[in-house]
Amino acid sequence: MGDFINIFIKSAFIENMALSYFLGMCSFLAVSKSVKTALGLGVAVVFVLGLTIPMNWLIDYYLLGEAGFFKMDLTFLRFIIFISTIAALVQLVEMVVEKFSPSLYNSLGIFLPLITVNCAILGGSLFMITKEYNFVQSVSYGLGGGVGWALAIVAIAGIREKMTYSQIPAPLRGLGMAFLLTGIMGIAFMGLMGIDPAAFK
Amino acid sequence: MAEVHEITKKETVFSFGKEEKKLLSDPINDNNPITVQVLGVCSALAVTTLVDKAIVMGLAVIFVTALSNLFTSMLRSYIPKQVRMIVQLVIIAFLVTIVELALKAFNYTIWKELSVFIGLIITNCIVMGRLEAYAMANSPWKSFLDGIGNGVGYSIILVIVAAIREVFGKGSFLGFKIIGPTAEYALNTTEISWLGWYTANNLIILSPAAMFIIAIIIWVHRASNRKLIDIS
């Protein structure tokens, strides 16, 4: 359990996917114009990351690894298999959400299909491989990473909403300012690097 | 009649006129993938600490955008609309796997440094974005040129950012030591008295600095090309 919380906190704050690895920046910059839509995308990312990382762990261990079903090293297929899993799972989540919670489906809207090409999702799965996590750790990594990403996009969206009232040099308006803000937030998140996750054990 | 039409069409397939030239030059300035379309920023930031990493990454992206555009455009009339995402992703993932295995075989150290970011070309929004916006509706040759143009536009920004970060953060360029406090460097700051104040800026190595540098590039770019200014 200590391990679970440890990795959760580490992936949500200290190694925040959006602000210390800068993953998923395309949708991060495009969708962070208002808090409401940012929250929708954030929730969708938590959902999908929390599902795809454990799922890809299972596939990697039981199908692609040497110890798996085919008894040979198929890890060169990782990219194709992982991205297909993500695409299929996103489609599945979309259908399930549409069936059981139309209100949530309407609020997530176009963000669910967009998530397939969010770098943070595939990046999470690939980092899970390079960090050699086990199954429980990968569940915690998925949830933590998603929560961290959602937090970051909501925070940036809040600042950007306020920014619309300020006097910014015309060429820097919009995109340029979003880059600067994200950079400053990244430095702020670096302050969290001093936290020792072992303290939460 | 139909046959004649076919032949004239074939002759123009590989033409290289004004329109094709525009396909190559547009993404470099007016429609740059990073500073205007805001696509593919994710991987642009992590790989720009060193110029050689940025160049390898740029070449990999040019290869993937050009060929995935070409293949998708060839297959565009056979891909059902509902599953086009998955088909496109499989094409991209196939090409990225080739790049990754080739890089692992020929230059293991760079492969190790780029780690997951080669894999992340799959979800690099430029590749997907160009497939959706261009290759699904245009002929293979034009799509191929569009892919090369966008790949080059992306790589140029990547190399500029990497050059700034490497020179001011590490005092070197492509591994040649330029400015620093020991005798190994071309400009030795401890010996040349008027340069004594100079120290390499460690902030620039950190990833937030890439954000600032891209913001400044956008600023300069939009100030010189005022039609790109965000009105909203």
mmCIF file of all heavy atoms in Angstrom, chain A residues 32-69:
data_model
loop_
_atom_site.group_PDB
_atom_site.id
_atom_site.type_symbol
_atom_site.label_atom_id
_atom_site.label_comp_id
_atom_site.label_asym_id
_atom_site.label_seq_id
_atom_site.Cartn_x
_atom_site.Cartn_y
_atom_site.Cartn_z
ATOM 1 N N SER A 32 -6.783 24.515 -23.133
ATOM 2 C CA SER A 32 -6.727 25.206 -21.843
ATOM 3 C C SER A 32 -7.217 26.644 -21.913
ATOM 4 O O SER A 32 -6.752 27.509 -21.188
ATOM 5 C CB SER A 32 -5.303 25.165 -21.292
ATOM 6 O OG SER A 32 -4.429 25.807 -22.165
ATOM 7 N N LYS A 33 -8.189 26.930 -22.809
ATOM 8 C CA LYS A 33 -8.668 28.301 -22.883
ATOM 9 C C LYS A 33 -9.728 28.599 -21.839
ATOM 10 O O LYS A 33 -9.887 29.731 -21.419
ATOM 11 C CB LYS A 33 -9.195 28.601 -24.281
ATOM 12 C CG LYS A 33 -8.050 28.954 -25.224
ATOM 13 C CD LYS A 33 -8.538 29.206 -26.636
ATOM 14 C CE LYS A 33 -7.353 29.357 -27.572
ATOM 15 N NZ LYS A 33 -7.683 28.956 -28.931
ATOM 16 N N SER A 34 -10.513 27.569 -21.436
ATOM 17 C CA SER A 34 -11.483 27.812 -20.367
ATOM 18 C C SER A 34 -11.463 26.655 -19.384
ATOM 19 O O SER A 34 -11.170 25.513 -19.747
ATOM 20 C CB SER A 34 -12.891 27.978 -20.947
ATOM 21 O OG SER A 34 -13.466 26.717 -21.165
ATOM 22 N N VAL A 35 -11.747 26.968 -18.107
ATOM 23 C CA VAL A 35 -11.621 25.979 -17.037
ATOM 24 C C VAL A 35 -12.570 24.806 -17.258
ATOM 25 O O VAL A 35 -12.225 23.659 -17.008
ATOM 26 C CB VAL A 35 -11.886 26.638 -15.671
ATOM 27 C CG1 VAL A 35 -11.933 25.595 -14.572
ATOM 28 C CG2 VAL A 35 -10.822 27.653 -15.369
ATOM 29 N N LYS A 36 -13.755 25.105 -17.770
ATOM 30 C CA LYS A 36 -14.765 24.057 -17.892
ATOM 31 C C LYS A 36 -14.337 22.961 -18.876
ATOM 32 O O LYS A 36 -14.382 21.773 -18.563
ATOM 33 C CB LYS A 36 -16.094 24.684 -18.347
ATOM 34 C CG LYS A 36 -17.275 23.860 -17.924
ATOM 35 C CD LYS A 36 -18.585 24.602 -18.160
ATOM 36 C CE LYS A 36 -19.717 23.600 -18.128
ATOM 37 N NZ LYS A 36 -20.446 23.537 -19.373
ATOM 38 N N THR A 37 -13.897 23.374 -20.060
ATOM 39 C CA THR A 37 -13.472 22.365 -21.026
ATOM 40 C C THR A 37 -12.198 21.677 -20.547
ATOM 41 O O THR A 37 -12.009 20.476 -20.771
ATOM 42 C CB THR A 37 -13.224 22.987 -22.405
ATOM 43 O OG1 THR A 37 -12.440 24.156 -22.238
ATOM 44 C CG2 THR A 37 -14.501 23.335 -23.099
ATOM 45 N N ALA A 38 -11.320 22.436 -19.872
ATOM 46 C CA ALA A 38 -10.086 21.838 -19.373
ATOM 47 C C ALA A 38 -10.405 20.724 -18.379
ATOM 48 O O ALA A 38 -9.790 19.666 -18.393
ATOM 49 C CB ALA A 38 -9.214 22.902 -18.720
ATOM 50 N N LEU A 39 -11.396 20.975 -17.526
ATOM 51 C CA LEU A 39 -11.787 19.977 -16.540
ATOM 52 C C LEU A 39 -12.330 18.727 -17.239
ATOM 53 O O LEU A 39 -12.009 17.601 -16.852
ATOM 54 C CB LEU A 39 -12.838 20.569 -15.606
ATOM 55 C CG LEU A 39 -13.066 19.822 -14.294
ATOM 56 C CD1 LEU A 39 -11.811 19.834 -13.453
ATOM 57 C CD2 LEU A 39 -14.209 20.441 -13.516
ATOM 58 N N GLY A 40 -13.130 18.943 -18.291
ATOM 59 C CA GLY A 40 -13.660 17.803 -19.047
ATOM 60 C C GLY A 40 -12.546 16.941 -19.607
ATOM 61 O O GLY A 40 -12.540 15.720 -19.441
ATOM 62 N N LEU A 41 -11.572 17.587 -20.249
ATOM 63 C CA LEU A 41 -10.465 16.830 -20.821
ATOM 64 C C LEU A 41 -9.646 16.158 -19.724
ATOM 65 O O LEU A 41 -9.222 15.011 -19.871
ATOM 66 C CB LEU A 41 -9.570 17.752 -21.652
ATOM 67 C CG LEU A 41 -8.425 17.053 -22.365
ATOM 68 C CD1 LEU A 41 -8.961 16.123 -23.431
ATOM 69 C CD2 LEU A 41 -7.470 18.040 -22.985
ATOM 70 N N GLY A 42 -9.457 16.873 -18.606
ATOM 71 C CA GLY A 42 -8.690 16.308 -17.498
ATOM 72 C C GLY A 42 -9.305 15.024 -16.977
ATOM 73 O O GLY A 42 -8.625 14.013 -16.798
ATOM 74 N N VAL A 43 -10.627 15.049 -16.760
ATOM 75 C CA VAL A 43 -11.320 13.859 -16.265
ATOM 76 C C VAL A 43 -11.168 12.708 -17.258
ATOM 77 O O VAL A 43 -10.883 11.561 -16.889
ATOM 78 C CB VAL A 43 -12.815 14.168 -16.017
ATOM 79 C CG1 VAL A 43 -13.595 12.905 -15.742
ATOM 80 C CG2 VAL A 43 -12.966 15.135 -14.871
ATOM 81 N N ALA A 44 -11.313 13.033 -18.551
ATOM 82 C CA ALA A 44 -11.178 11.996 -19.572
ATOM 83 C C ALA A 44 -9.781 11.387 -19.551
ATOM 84 O O ALA A 44 -9.613 10.175 -19.700
ATOM 85 C CB ALA A 44 -11.490 12.575 -20.948
ATOM 86 N N VAL A 45 -8.755 12.243 -19.334
ATOM 87 C CA VAL A 45 -7.385 11.725 -19.314
ATOM 88 C C VAL A 45 -7.172 10.805 -18.108
ATOM 89 O O VAL A 45 -6.563 9.741 -18.233
ATOM 90 C CB VAL A 45 -6.362 12.882 -19.326
ATOM 91 C CG1 VAL A 45 -4.985 12.396 -18.957
ATOM 92 C CG2 VAL A 45 -6.318 13.521 -20.692
ATOM 93 N N VAL A 46 -7.688 11.194 -16.924
ATOM 94 C CA VAL A 46 -7.550 10.340 -15.745
ATOM 95 C C VAL A 46 -8.158 8.972 -16.035
ATOM 96 O O VAL A 46 -7.558 7.916 -15.771
ATOM 97 C CB VAL A 46 -8.253 10.962 -14.520
ATOM 98 C CG1 VAL A 46 -8.174 10.028 -13.323
ATOM 99 C CG2 VAL A 46 -7.653 12.291 -14.171
ATOM 100 N N PHE A 47 -9.349 8.994 -16.600
ATOM 101 C CA PHE A 47 -10.087 7.794 -16.981
ATOM 102 C C PHE A 47 -9.237 6.886 -17.868
ATOM 103 O O PHE A 47 -9.010 5.720 -17.582
ATOM 104 C CB PHE A 47 -11.298 8.283 -17.777
ATOM 105 C CG PHE A 47 -12.584 7.651 -17.414
ATOM 106 C CD1 PHE A 47 -13.077 7.761 -16.130
ATOM 107 C CD2 PHE A 47 -13.313 6.969 -18.372
ATOM 108 C CE1 PHE A 47 -14.282 7.189 -15.798
ATOM 109 C CE2 PHE A 47 -14.521 6.404 -18.051
ATOM 110 C CZ PHE A 47 -15.007 6.509 -16.758
ATOM 111 N N VAL A 48 -8.770 7.464 -18.979
ATOM 112 C CA VAL A 48 -8.103 6.654 -19.997
ATOM 113 C C VAL A 48 -6.717 6.214 -19.535
ATOM 114 O O VAL A 48 -6.326 5.065 -19.734
ATOM 115 C CB VAL A 48 -8.038 7.443 -21.317
ATOM 116 C CG1 VAL A 48 -7.225 6.711 -22.342
ATOM 117 C CG2 VAL A 48 -9.428 7.668 -21.855
ATOM 118 N N LEU A 49 -5.970 7.106 -18.869
ATOM 119 C CA LEU A 49 -4.640 6.705 -18.384
ATOM 120 C C LEU A 49 -4.774 5.593 -17.361
ATOM 121 O O LEU A 49 -4.019 4.621 -17.391
ATOM 122 C CB LEU A 49 -3.928 7.896 -17.747
ATOM 123 C CG LEU A 49 -2.860 8.602 -18.553
ATOM 124 C CD1 LEU A 49 -2.235 9.691 -17.719
ATOM 125 C CD2 LEU A 49 -1.785 7.659 -19.023
ATOM 126 N N GLY A 50 -5.740 5.748 -16.445
ATOM 127 C CA GLY A 50 -5.923 4.742 -15.398
ATOM 128 C C GLY A 50 -6.290 3.387 -15.972
ATOM 129 O O GLY A 50 -6.009 2.354 -15.361
ATOM 130 N N LEU A 51 -6.916 3.358 -17.142
ATOM 131 C CA LEU A 51 -7.272 2.080 -17.755
ATOM 132 C C LEU A 51 -6.178 1.534 -18.666
ATOM 133 O O LEU A 51 -5.866 0.352 -18.632
ATOM 134 C CB LEU A 51 -8.553 2.240 -18.579
ATOM 135 C CG LEU A 51 -9.871 2.174 -17.832
ATOM 136 C CD1 LEU A 51 -10.997 2.543 -18.758
ATOM 137 C CD2 LEU A 51 -10.082 0.778 -17.288
ATOM 138 N N THR A 52 -5.584 2.426 -19.504
ATOM 139 C CA THR A 52 -4.680 1.899 -20.530
ATOM 140 C C THR A 52 -3.350 1.422 -19.958
ATOM 141 O O THR A 52 -2.791 0.451 -20.471
ATOM 142 C CB THR A 52 -4.368 2.953 -21.608
ATOM 143 O OG1 THR A 52 -3.931 4.142 -20.989
ATOM 144 C CG2 THR A 52 -5.564 3.215 -22.471
ATOM 145 N N ILE A 53 -2.829 2.081 -18.921
ATOM 146 C CA ILE A 53 -1.510 1.663 -18.442
ATOM 147 C C ILE A 53 -1.546 0.253 -17.846
ATOM 148 O O ILE A 53 -0.745 -0.594 -18.249
ATOM 149 C CB ILE A 53 -0.910 2.720 -17.486
ATOM 150 C CG1 ILE A 53 -0.599 3.975 -18.300
ATOM 151 C CG2 ILE A 53 0.336 2.211 -16.810
ATOM 152 C CD1 ILE A 53 0.120 5.037 -17.552
ATOM 153 N N PRO A 54 -2.495 -0.058 -16.926
ATOM 154 C CA PRO A 54 -2.566 -1.448 -16.458
ATOM 155 C C PRO A 54 -2.850 -2.443 -17.587
ATOM 156 O O PRO A 54 -2.271 -3.522 -17.636
ATOM 157 C CB PRO A 54 -3.721 -1.431 -15.458
ATOM 158 C CG PRO A 54 -3.880 -0.039 -15.072
ATOM 159 C CD PRO A 54 -3.458 0.780 -16.219
ATOM 160 N N MET A 55 -3.730 -2.028 -18.516
ATOM 161 C CA MET A 55 -4.071 -2.892 -19.646
ATOM 162 C C MET A 55 -2.826 -3.198 -20.485
ATOM 163 O O MET A 55 -2.552 -4.348 -20.826
ATOM 164 C CB MET A 55 -5.105 -2.150 -20.507
ATOM 165 C CG MET A 55 -5.705 -2.956 -21.599
ATOM 166 S SD MET A 55 -6.904 -4.084 -20.934
ATOM 167 C CE MET A 55 -7.083 -5.159 -22.337
ATOM 168 N N ASN A 56 -2.057 -2.164 -20.784
ATOM 169 C CA ASN A 56 -0.851 -2.381 -21.568
ATOM 170 C C ASN A 56 0.181 -3.184 -20.789
ATOM 171 O O ASN A 56 0.960 -3.930 -21.368
ATOM 172 C CB ASN A 56 -0.246 -1.038 -21.994
ATOM 173 C CG ASN A 56 -0.897 -0.502 -23.251
ATOM 174 O OD1 ASN A 56 -1.473 -1.267 -24.008
ATOM 175 N ND2 ASN A 56 -0.819 0.784 -23.454
ATOM 176 N N TRP A 57 0.180 -3.037 -19.456
ATOM 177 C CA TRP A 57 1.098 -3.845 -18.659
ATOM 178 C C TRP A 57 0.751 -5.315 -18.828
ATOM 179 O O TRP A 57 1.624 -6.156 -19.058
ATOM 180 C CB TRP A 57 1.015 -3.453 -17.170
ATOM 181 C CG TRP A 57 2.070 -4.143 -16.380
ATOM 182 C CD1 TRP A 57 3.326 -3.690 -16.126
ATOM 183 C CD2 TRP A 57 1.975 -5.432 -15.764
ATOM 184 N NE1 TRP A 57 4.016 -4.608 -15.397
ATOM 185 C CE2 TRP A 57 3.218 -5.689 -15.162
ATOM 186 C CE3 TRP A 57 0.973 -6.390 -15.668
ATOM 187 C CZ2 TRP A 57 3.481 -6.873 -14.459
ATOM 188 C CZ3 TRP A 57 1.232 -7.573 -14.980
ATOM 189 C CH2 TRP A 57 2.474 -7.810 -14.385
ATOM 190 N N LEU A 58 -0.551 -5.635 -18.721
ATOM 191 C CA LEU A 58 -0.990 -7.024 -18.859
ATOM 192 C C LEU A 58 -0.618 -7.570 -20.233
ATOM 193 O O LEU A 58 -0.079 -8.669 -20.361
ATOM 194 C CB LEU A 58 -2.507 -7.128 -18.666
ATOM 195 C CG LEU A 58 -3.013 -6.891 -17.244
ATOM 196 C CD1 LEU A 58 -4.528 -6.904 -17.234
ATOM 197 C CD2 LEU A 58 -2.483 -7.948 -16.308
ATOM 198 N N ILE A 59 -0.872 -6.758 -21.286
ATOM 199 C CA ILE A 59 -0.556 -7.212 -22.641
ATOM 200 C C ILE A 59 0.939 -7.414 -22.809
ATOM 201 O O ILE A 59 1.398 -8.418 -23.349
ATOM 202 C CB ILE A 59 -1.092 -6.196 -23.666
ATOM 203 C CG1 ILE A 59 -2.607 -6.308 -23.730
ATOM 204 C CG2 ILE A 59 -0.498 -6.437 -25.037
ATOM 205 C CD1 ILE A 59 -3.249 -5.288 -24.598
ATOM 206 N N ASP A 60 1.714 -6.462 -22.277
ATOM 207 C CA ASP A 60 3.154 -6.560 -22.422
ATOM 208 C C ASP A 60 3.692 -7.804 -21.718
ATOM 209 O O ASP A 60 4.549 -8.499 -22.234
ATOM 210 C CB ASP A 60 3.818 -5.302 -21.851
ATOM 211 C CG ASP A 60 5.291 -5.242 -22.173
ATOM 212 O OD1 ASP A 60 5.605 -5.105 -23.370
ATOM 213 O OD2 ASP A 60 6.121 -5.358 -21.260
ATOM 214 N N TYR A 61 3.161 -8.095 -20.516
ATOM 215 C CA TYR A 61 3.701 -9.209 -19.739
ATOM 216 C C TYR A 61 3.205 -10.545 -20.260
ATOM 217 O O TYR A 61 3.984 -11.481 -20.421
ATOM 218 C CB TYR A 61 3.307 -9.042 -18.266
ATOM 219 C CG TYR A 61 4.016 -10.008 -17.359
ATOM 220 C CD1 TYR A 61 5.317 -9.750 -16.935
ATOM 221 C CD2 TYR A 61 3.391 -11.178 -16.934
ATOM 222 C CE1 TYR A 61 5.981 -10.640 -16.117
ATOM 223 C CE2 TYR A 61 4.049 -12.065 -16.112
ATOM 224 C CZ TYR A 61 5.340 -11.797 -15.707
ATOM 225 O OH TYR A 61 5.991 -12.678 -14.898
ATOM 226 N N TYR A 62 1.908 -10.643 -20.554
ATOM 227 C CA TYR A 62 1.344 -11.956 -20.891
ATOM 228 C C TYR A 62 1.355 -12.273 -22.375
ATOM 229 O O TYR A 62 1.170 -13.419 -22.756
ATOM 230 C CB TYR A 62 -0.079 -12.075 -20.330
ATOM 231 C CG TYR A 62 -0.078 -12.224 -18.837
ATOM 232 C CD1 TYR A 62 -0.511 -11.197 -18.012
ATOM 233 C CD2 TYR A 62 0.406 -13.387 -18.244
ATOM 234 C CE1 TYR A 62 -0.472 -11.326 -16.640
ATOM 235 C CE2 TYR A 62 0.451 -13.524 -16.869
ATOM 236 C CZ TYR A 62 0.007 -12.492 -16.074
ATOM 237 O OH TYR A 62 0.064 -12.614 -14.720
ATOM 238 N N LEU A 63 1.541 -11.294 -23.234
ATOM 239 C CA LEU A 63 1.576 -11.603 -24.667
ATOM 240 C C LEU A 63 2.939 -11.337 -25.292
ATOM 241 O O LEU A 63 3.456 -12.143 -26.053
ATOM 242 C CB LEU A 63 0.513 -10.783 -25.419
ATOM 243 C CG LEU A 63 -0.930 -11.208 -25.223
ATOM 244 C CD1 LEU A 63 -1.835 -10.288 -26.020
ATOM 245 C CD2 LEU A 63 -1.142 -12.644 -25.658
ATOM 246 N N LEU A 64 3.557 -10.199 -24.960
ATOM 247 C CA LEU A 64 4.762 -9.817 -25.687
ATOM 248 C C LEU A 64 6.047 -10.308 -25.026
ATOM 249 O O LEU A 64 7.057 -10.492 -25.685
ATOM 250 C CB LEU A 64 4.826 -8.288 -25.857
ATOM 251 C CG LEU A 64 3.644 -7.641 -26.564
ATOM 252 C CD1 LEU A 64 3.830 -6.151 -26.642
ATOM 253 C CD2 LEU A 64 3.495 -8.193 -27.965
ATOM 254 N N GLY A 65 6.022 -10.496 -23.698
ATOM 255 C CA GLY A 65 7.253 -10.830 -22.987
ATOM 256 C C GLY A 65 7.667 -12.280 -23.191
ATOM 257 O O GLY A 65 6.906 -13.098 -23.706
ATOM 258 N N GLU A 66 8.907 -12.573 -22.751
ATOM 259 C CA GLU A 66 9.421 -13.945 -22.876
ATOM 260 C C GLU A 66 8.628 -14.917 -22.028
ATOM 261 O O GLU A 66 8.489 -16.091 -22.356
ATOM 262 C CB GLU A 66 10.894 -13.979 -22.428
ATOM 263 C CG GLU A 66 11.803 -13.202 -23.334
ATOM 264 C CD GLU A 66 12.907 -14.067 -23.903
ATOM 265 O OE1 GLU A 66 12.731 -15.285 -23.952
ATOM 266 O OE2 GLU A 66 13.937 -13.490 -24.285
ATOM 267 N N ALA A 67 8.105 -14.418 -20.880
ATOM 268 C CA ALA A 67 7.364 -15.281 -19.972
ATOM 269 C C ALA A 67 5.914 -15.448 -20.413
ATOM 270 O O ALA A 67 5.152 -16.167 -19.792
ATOM 271 C CB ALA A 67 7.410 -14.702 -18.558
ATOM 272 N N GLY A 68 5.558 -14.784 -21.507
ATOM 273 C CA GLY A 68 4.151 -14.732 -21.875
ATOM 274 C C GLY A 68 3.675 -15.904 -22.701
ATOM 275 O O GLY A 68 4.309 -16.961 -22.771
ATOM 276 N N PHE A 69 2.562 -15.710 -23.374
ATOM 277 C CA PHE A 69 1.837 -16.762 -24.094
ATOM 278 C C PHE A 69 2.668 -17.376 -25.227
ATOM 279 O O PHE A 69 2.673 -18.586 -25.424
ATOM 280 C CB PHE A 69 0.546 -16.143 -24.633
ATOM 281 C CG PHE A 69 -0.335 -17.104 -25.347
ATOM 282 C CD1 PHE A 69 -1.035 -18.080 -24.625
ATOM 283 C CD2 PHE A 69 -0.483 -17.050 -26.715
ATOM 284 C CE1 PHE A 69 -1.846 -18.971 -25.271
ATOM 285 C CE2 PHE A 69 -1.312 -17.948 -27.362
ATOM 286 C CZ PHE A 69 -1.989 -18.908 -26.643
#
